[in-house]
Amino acid sequence: MGTNANVKSVERVVVRLAGDSGDGMQLTGNELTRASALAGNDVATFPDYPAEIRAPAGTLAGVSGFQLHFASQDIFTPGDEPDVLVAMNPAAFKKNIGDLKPGGLAIVNQSAFIKNNLRKVGYDESPLEDPVLNERFRIVPIEMNAQVERALENEGLSTKEIGRSKNFWALGLLYWLYGRNADKQLKWIDEKFANKKKFAESNKKVFLAGHAFGETAELFGESYRVEAATTDPGHYRNIMGNQALVTGLVAAAQKSGLEMVLGSYPITPASDILHAMSRFRHYGCSTVQAEDEIAAIGVAIGASYGGAIGVCSTSGPGLALKGEALGLAHIVELPLVVVNVQRGGPSTGLPTKTEQSDLLQALFGRNGDAPLPVLAAKSPADCFDAAYEAVRIATKYMTPVILMSDGYVANGSEPWRLPDLQKLKAIEVNVRVEPEGYEVYQRDETTLARDWVIPGTPGMEHRVGGLEKDSLSGEVSYVPENHAEMCRVRAEKVRGVQAEIDAPELYGDLDGDTLIVGWGGTFGALRQACDDANEEGLGVAHCHLRWIHPFAPQLDAILKRYRNVLVCELNSGQLAFLLRATFLKDVKSFTKVEGQPFRIREVLAEIQKLQGSSNA
């Protein structure tokens, strides 16, 4: 296919797609992401879903967005402000135009800017003619609906079916604008609609029409080229966080030689874990969609008692409901992995928005003294490693483990280098079959883990439950000294996980005055802000925590070597609270609770502010 003779090379591009929930923005974004990954670019994405299942069409509440950052070099975030905004209606335009970079390109579906749609979002007249906006941005209105209708006028489709195709028209235009391989997209459409040939042909026609429009309309003057990024040799795929997490769980099950059972109740943004795991039943992984959150963790605990790896996936409200059962798994000492994909809270909160406000709940949200190992994934690809590690620790130490993710990590995507499975750490399983001398709570001298005995093993019948048990026999015990000893040993076992924790990586200016600390999905923004700060000569290092409980043993010395420690998190300061209490270090807290991730410039501004005040 032809290309624009005026092609401009750029290092990176941030594109935001926005439209109504039914406009197909997520599919369009995923396809542009796939094309960029196939072109060899580094990519990072951020889907932004409306909280309403189906908000009224054309309203601000119903706007669905997808941001993609692709580049010829390593990138860490989906970007701050977009270079290009594709807005399918006035609501999408109004909600997103303020984020567009000055001089940025706004491609707008002018067909949707009718009086009724304008009135829904408070416009008295079309903003596309606003001289202030046109001076600040490069606004290109296109009658997309008319273009789609023209392309499909002889296809015998209904008006509704024709309207659903406009996202493919926009995708074709973007393919032309960034020199993507259209032939591969046409092949994908054929495969996607293999059982619906009519729609395959119509979507291909619309896609090609959008591509041809970019070529011939002369509205843009130039197209753009982003060279392939330099990457380490290996096999890569683009992967979303929830997909990577499931892949890590399945790999751990295979490595351990055990079956895995996921008990789950559907909850946003963790539901995709249940969907993805259900595809691995041929690898010994079973899924049970339970009637509620309590039943889901009951299924997982029962699976662990029966000799499988029990897993359950949830979000903040579900974790709250699982509190008592988590205490049961703790006192019975069974391997269990609970995945908490955090969202905005409290209560039902913001189901489709990201947050990190469940940290203290994960650490302390159970009655009695019931400490558990807690770790967090920092990026979509990192979910694989974090999930694998969670299973390894749960089985080695015979304890429940809480794995923290969040909506930003779970729904985002990035290139993932497929690991060498032979190099993954071994997963130790202490299943005992020898009855001689068996005591239910006798322990491994190193890990303090009790033996895992499968029910029905001859001569090893035993009973466990939520009542306190004798420190050896497992019989119910109310002896005060025994209870104190059991609480101490269970806590000591969890502290022993420190032996598995590598020293936190320090990045940036290791001799500077300022350290920024984060956990979970804030990684990308903090890492890029660190780089930007050091380009300004500010002397900043970055430390990102994988383990929240227990902390890495080296963390105390790391915190104390820096004059300024800035803890950045998407809550009201929960990690900062823990660090102050644990290490008696006067850390500074920078927080954001808006349901949105940090922007790089926000973190950079806070670093500049901190250094300015400390040097005053």
Side-chain angles (χ1 to χ4, degrees):
M1 303 180 71
T3 56
N4 192 329
N6 185 13
V7 180
K8 180 180 179 180
S9 291
V10 293
E11 289 186 351
R12 61 182 65 221
V13 176
V14 179
V15 177
R16 183 180 297 176
L17 306 160
D20 212 37
S21 292
D23 284 338
M25 294 297 94
Q26 304 303 323
L27 183 147
T28 307
N30 283 326
E31 287 308 292
L32 188 59
T33 300
R34 188 173 64 89
S36 300
L38 288 171
N41 300 139
D42 196 10
V43 298
T45 69
F46 177 49
D48 192 11
Y49 305 98
E52 301 291 338
I53 294 175
R54 192 66 176 94
T59 62
L60 292 172
V63 174
S64 176
F66 188 102
Q67 185 156 306
L68 162 65
H69 186 186
F70 55 95
S72 58
Q73 53 190 307
D74 287 346
I75 55 177
F76 303 110
T77 76
D80 281 4
E81 300 87 356
D83 302 291
V84 178
L85 169 66
V86 178
M88 304 302 282
N89 61 21
F93 183 86
K94 184 172 186 177
K95 190 168 185 177
N96 293 282
I97 191 64
D99 292 336
L100 190 63
K101 284 183 179 177
L105 173 64
I107 301 172
V108 183
N109 179 20
Q110 189 174 13
S111 302
F113 280 66
I114 58 177
K115 285 186 178 180
N116 186 42
N117 287 344
L118 293 169
R119 188 166 52 248
K120 286 180 181 178
V121 294
Y123 283 132
D124 295 325
E125 55 187 28
S126 175
L128 304 182
E129 310 301 326
D130 186 331
V132 175
L133 290 178
N134 278 278
E135 182 177 348
R136 186 179 179 189
F137 308 114
R138 185 182 171 196
I139 300 176
V140 180
I142 302 172
E143 294 283 356
M144 290 189 195
N145 290 11
Q147 294 290 331
V148 172
E149 290 168 5
R150 188 174 299 117
L152 299 178
E153 58 185 349
N154 297 318
E155 294 299 307
L157 299 175
S158 68
T159 301
K160 186 176 182 180
E161 289 170 339
I162 291 173
R164 286 177 174 172
S165 300
K166 61 181 177 288
N167 63 320
F168 277 101
W169 192 94
L171 183 62
L173 177 61
L174 291 169
Y175 263 57
W176 172 82
L177 196 60
Y178 295 107
R180 298 305 180 208
N181 188 319
D183 293 334
K184 291 182 179 180
Q185 185 62 45
L186 295 173
K187 181 179 179 182
W188 179 89
I189 293 174
D190 277 329
E191 294 171 352
K192 175 72 173 177
F193 298 96
N195 297 323
K196 299 178 180 179
K197 296 293 185 182
K198 179 176 69 171
F199 295 125
E201 292 305 314
S202 62
N203 284 325
K204 287 194 294 184
K205 282 190 175 183
V206 170
F207 173 81
L208 292 171
H211 195 283
F213 182 89
E215 242 181 309
T216 60
E218 298 183 357
L219 290 176
F220 302 96
E222 60 189 9
S223 60
Y224 304 91
R225 179 178 179 84
V226 180
E227 298 291 342
T230 301
T231 58
D232 293 332
H235 294 285
Y236 289 81
R237 60 163 290 188
N238 192 55
I239 199 164
M240 296 177 69
N242 277 342
Q243 294 172 336
L245 194 147
V246 168
T247 307
L249 292 174
V250 174
Q254 291 290 297
K255 198 76 170 181
S256 69
L258 299 175
E259 293 187 2
M260 177 170 284
V261 177
L262 172 69
S264 185
Y265 178 76
I267 183 171
T268 302
S271 298
D272 281 343
I273 294 173
L274 175 61
H275 304 156
M277 183 68 84
S278 67
R279 303 186 185 105
F280 288 95
R281 59 186 180 278
H282 299 304
Y283 290 86
C285 297
S286 303
T287 53
V288 178
Q289 181 174 323
E291 66 268 29
D292 56 42
E293 294 283 359
I294 299 171
I297 192 171
V299 166
I301 292 172
S304 292
Y305 183 57
I309 301 171
V311 181
C312 51
S313 55
T314 190
S315 191
L319 187 65
L321 291 167
K322 295 179 190 297
E324 182 181 0
L326 268 172
L328 171 63
H330 170 77
I331 199 170
V332 172
E333 300 188 46
L334 287 171
L336 174 74
V337 175
V338 178
V339 180
N340 179 24
V341 187
Q342 299 166 97
R343 68 191 204 185
S347 187
T348 309
L350 303 172
T352 63
K353 307 303 179 184
T354 195
E355 207 164 275
Q356 293 182 300
S357 54
D358 298 345
L359 185 60
L360 294 182
Q361 178 184 211
L363 266 66
F364 306 119
R366 295 165 295 283
N367 63 297
D369 289 321
L372 299 179
V374 178
L375 73 163
K378 68 181 182 182
S379 69
D382 186 55
C383 285
F384 175 90
D385 296 320
Y388 187 91
E389 184 72 354
V391 174
R392 191 180 72 83
I393 294 302
T395 52
K396 183 174 181 177
Y397 287 83
M398 291 292 287
T399 180
V401 174
I402 298 179
L403 170 56
M404 306 291 278
S405 178
D406 57 60
Y408 176 77
V409 168
N411 294 319
S413 66
E414 64 181 348
W416 173 55
R417 184 183 179 186
L418 274 63
D420 182 347
L421 298 182
Q422 301 303 316
K423 294 183 179 179
L424 294 176
K425 290 183 179 179
I427 293 183
E428 301 178 23
V429 179
N430 301 313
V431 175
R432 179 167 177 167
V433 295
E434 173 54 55
E436 185 175 350
Y438 172 62
E439 297 281 3
V440 176
Y441 280 100
Q442 66 185 91
R443 301 178 181 278
D444 180 276
E445 292 182 357
T446 302
T447 65
L448 299 181
R450 75 176 185 91
D451 292 329
W452 197 359
V453 175
I454 311 305
T457 304
M460 303 187 75
E461 295 80 7
H462 65 285
R463 182 175 59 189
V464 292
L467 291 173
E468 185 62 278
K469 302 297 189 295
D470 179 79
S471 61
L472 272 180
S473 70
E475 297 294 328
V476 173
S477 172
Y478 293 95
V479 175
E481 293 81 6
N482 178 79
H483 176 57
E485 174 65 9
M486 288 295 275
C487 286
R488 183 195 69 78
V489 170
R490 289 190 292 258
E492 185 66 27
K493 179 176 69 170
V494 173
R495 281 193 295 271
V497 174
Q498 281 190 325
E500 311 288 334
I501 301 176
D502 294 330
E505 177 197 11
L506 273 176
Y507 174 89
D509 187 346
L510 306 188
D511 297 319
D513 284 339
T514 299
L515 175 70
I516 51 177
V517 178
W519 67 282
T522 61
F523 171 80
L526 303 192
R527 180 57 55 94
Q528 189 61 57
C530 176
D531 284 343
D532 292 352
N534 287 326
E535 286 183 7
E536 297 182 10
L538 296 181
V540 176
H542 174 211
C543 178
H544 213 75
L545 303 185
R546 160 64 62 78
W547 281 96
I548 311 299
H549 188 257
F551 286 126
Q554 303 88 350
L555 186 56
D556 188 18
I558 290 173
L559 295 176
K560 289 177 179 176
R561 75 187 264 188
Y562 290 92
R563 181 172 61 159
N564 303 313
V565 176
L566 180 66
V567 182
C568 306
E569 48 189 327
L570 301 178
N571 56 48
S572 298
Q574 297 182 22
L575 177 62
F577 168 81
L578 290 170
L579 293 178
R580 291 188 191 110
T582 304
F583 301 111
L584 304 181
K585 173 72 176 180
D586 184 23
V587 304
K588 309 300 180 185
S589 182
F590 177 50
T591 66
K592 180 177 180 178
V593 190
E594 299 175 4
Q596 295 293 318
F598 280 126
R599 294 186 175 182
I600 300 163
R601 57 180 170 82
E602 293 173 331
V603 180
L604 180 60
E606 193 65 21
I607 293 170
Q608 294 166 336
K609 176 183 173 183
L610 176 63
Q611 292 218 346
S613 63
S614 64
N615 292 330

